[in-house]
Amino acid sequence: MNDKKIMKEILFLQNISHVYNQEDQKIKVLNNINLKVFKGEMLALTGPSGTGKSTLLNIAGLLETPTFGFVNLAGKNCRDMNEDHKSYLRGTQIGFIFQSHRLFPEFSAIENVMLPQLIMGISKKEAVSKSKELLTILGLEKRINFRPAKLSGGEAQRVAVARALANSPNLILADEPTGNLDPASALNVFNLLSKLVKALDIGCLIATHNHVLADLMDRRITIDNGSIKN
Ligand code: ADP
Ligand code: MG
């Protein structure tokens, strides 16, 4: 690993182990995971269902605190951060994309992209401008006033990509983002996301079952039974 890459590290998951306490049962999910995500790279996270991919993304996104180990995001160790600090870091550094678009049905495409910006205190004028710009890059300039129900699956997921990028994050965490799409739409959403990750020089960690897409990414990490498989 060269110095340039060390400079560009956005996420470092260090010795992450996770155990869920389900009633009186302990469910060991992750076992000493170490991984880094660098700016400008697409990193695929693959592995069978139930192996801990979503858990790892939730830990990386500071939504779940790991039982053991450290999450270093944008050079900050998040282990002992309070919830306010974590939520600020999440809002400014991370964009999330899920398998289903999770857009608000009563809001238009542009309003869905504006919302996270307004929550972070951006002015309405700036939020409109940024949202239009992102939706245009994603080929949705003619759909900005459409509600999610009037969009195709691929279009709705492109709005979700725009929303994830709305606050100019340095890291995208995507959990099966094309899992609900037909192969052509999946490839289209993936290609757009990939181009934006490169153009904006941000890191992107994508859990996926799609081996075609995993093969198109810069690197792939496979988890099996809670551990990284080499
Ligand atoms: P994947 O995304 O790879 O399919 P998950 O991270 O969703 O895997 O789940 C890994 C394991 O952890 C599964 O056995 C699942 O049942 C369990 N699990 C996930 N979330 C919870 C939870 N909140 N409480 C208890 N067990 C959970
Ligand atoms: Mg999952």
Side-chain angles (χ1 to χ4, degrees), residues 20 22 27 29 47-56 64 175-176:
Y20 284 116
Q22 184 87 308
I27 304 172
V29 181
S49 255
T51 203
K53 301 182 297 297
S54 295
T55 302
L56 193 65
E64 183 94 57
D175 198 350
E176 315 267 4

Side-chain angles (χ1 to χ4, degrees), residues 46-48 51 222-229:
T46 59
T51 203
T222 302
I223 314 187
D224 199 1
N225 207 9
S227 299
I228 290 180
K229 216 173 90 176

Side-chain angles (χ1 to χ4, degrees), residues 182-208:
D182 61 84
S185 304
L187 187 62
N188 178 237
V189 168
F190 174 83
N191 282 336
L192 285 162
L193 176 60
S194 187
K195 266 189 201 149
L196 282 158
V197 164
K198 301 291 171 190
L200 299 168
D201 196 33
I202 63 183
C204 185
L205 178 59
I206 307 186
T208 185

